[in-house]
Amino acid sequence: MLGPLPAAPATPPDMQDRFSNGPDPDLWVDGYLPQWTTPDRAQARYGRHSDGLLLRIDEDQPDWRPADAPLRVSNLQTGSFSGPLGSTRGTHRHRPDGLRVETEVPLRLLWAPAAGRVDIEVSASRDLDCMLAAWLVGTEHRSARDCGEVCIFEIDARAAGETWTARTGVKAHHDDRLTTRMIETALPFDAGTPHVWTAIWGDGETIIGCDGEIVQRLPQAPDYPLFLMIDLFEIGPPRGTYPKTAMVHSVRGWGRSARVSRG
């Protein structure tokens, strides 16, 4: 760890959810990048729990896209955007080619700051082949170039007693103003229990931390609107015991617009 995180703002968060009644529909789209697939494949599976929201992968859940199979995902994201049906416009173009809009979705900027801070309390999955992740991704509604990502964490499942790691950093994707910088960090705790992950970004810097300590500091940051995405993935063909789960306990965020527009 690289020292203590800056304190959270003294002002109340402009985005907050403890999931006591499930995902707040004024804040979340409960489907993973729905423009690139069909509604039944994008739809998240989840259950309410006294400690938060239990993201699930169910045995009968379809692959997110046949072209990306085997891959199943339950996701929450704070907005949506696509171009017209059949176009290549849309948030988070994860493949370099062959990706076209299968379901046209509206522009919804439910929480999409260009700079700010977000704190996410989660318990990662212990289930076979699963990964819990949280990303801030460029909405791309103003420009396809605005597609960088702040990777707050990607945590692969571990069995009891095994060492946990997390991948964090910035991914440029198709934004030539950014440089991909990712690290993998050994975690000195059981990530299958509740821990708070933080991203602070803006003014040319990104800070990623956990439980009040800095994990990574980078001298770059996207400066355009970003959606928050929280995802539970099952990567590989179905096997093991279902449902496979991870817990999202709470999310709170403070956002602001970019101060500088780069060329």
Side-chain angles (χ1 to χ4, degrees):
M1 301 295 181
L2 304 177
L5 278 169
T11 56
D14 55 272
M15 180 270 279
Q16 184 166 253
D17 201 347
R18 294 187 178 276
F19 305 101
S20 57
N21 295 308
D24 182 346
D26 293 328
L27 180 58
W28 302 104
V29 173
D30 58 350
Y32 182 63
L33 301 172
Q35 68 274 12
W36 305 131
T37 187
T38 56
D40 60 317
R41 293 181 178 276
Q43 181 63 48
R45 307 282 184 98
Y46 53 82
R48 290 162 55 185
H49 189 278
S50 60
D51 291 333
L53 190 77
L54 199 67
L55 290 176
R56 297 195 325 259
I57 303 295
D58 293 332
E59 189 167 12
D60 66 347
Q61 191 165 341
D63 287 304
W64 173 59
R65 292 179 75 243
D68 290 288
L71 178 70
R72 302 195 283 181
V73 57
S74 287
N75 165 81
L76 302 177
Q77 58 187 60
T78 60
S80 64
F81 163 69
S82 82
L85 192 68
S87 74
T88 59
R89 292 293 311 280
T91 300
H92 205 48
R93 291 165 291 126
H94 67 288
R95 295 168 66 96
D97 53 36
L99 195 63
R100 295 191 177 276
V101 173
E102 293 191 34
T103 302
E104 189 171 340
V105 299
L107 173 63
R108 301 179 69 194
L109 303 178
L110 303 178
W111 193 70
R117 174 181 177 132
V118 65
D119 295 337
I120 307 168
E121 184 177 16
V122 294
S123 295
S125 179
R126 299 185 188 278
D127 293 304
L128 193 66
D129 301 327
C130 282
M131 178 183 79
L132 182 67
W135 306 321
L136 293 154
V137 302
T139 64
E140 303 188 46
H141 74 284
R142 300 191 307 198
S143 168
R145 197 180 181 203
D146 294 347
C147 58
E149 173 194 322
V150 175
C151 176
I152 306 170
F153 59 80
E154 295 174 349
I155 304 174
D156 295 325
R158 294 287 186 269
E162 293 184 348
T163 300
W164 294 80
T165 63
R167 294 178 294 278
T168 64
V170 167
K171 301 176 188 177
H173 294 298
H174 312 284
D175 184 350
D176 57 3
R177 298 161 294 188
L178 298 174
T179 302
T180 296
R181 292 285 184 268
M182 292 288 293
I183 63 170
E184 186 165 7
T185 301
L187 302 178
F189 52 74
D190 179 356
T193 60
H195 295 274
V196 177
W197 289 85
T198 298
I200 304 168
W201 77 103
D203 302 324
E205 182 178 60
T206 299
I207 300 171
I208 298 168
C210 186
D211 292 341
E213 296 292 322
I214 296 173
V215 174
Q216 189 177 11
R217 186 190 293 265
L218 301 104
Q220 59 176 336
D223 65 353
Y224 37 76
L226 307 175
F227 293 146
L228 174 64
M229 304 178 68
I230 304 176
D231 329 277
L232 176 64
F233 293 92
E234 182 188 42
I235 302 167
R239 61 176 180 152
T241 302
Y242 293 88
K244 300 181 178 182
T245 62
M247 181 75 73
V248 186
H249 301 279
S250 66
V251 180
R252 61 178 187 161
W254 298 259
R256 59 180 170 84
S257 299
R259 293 181 180 176
V260 178
S261 179
R262 296 183 302 197

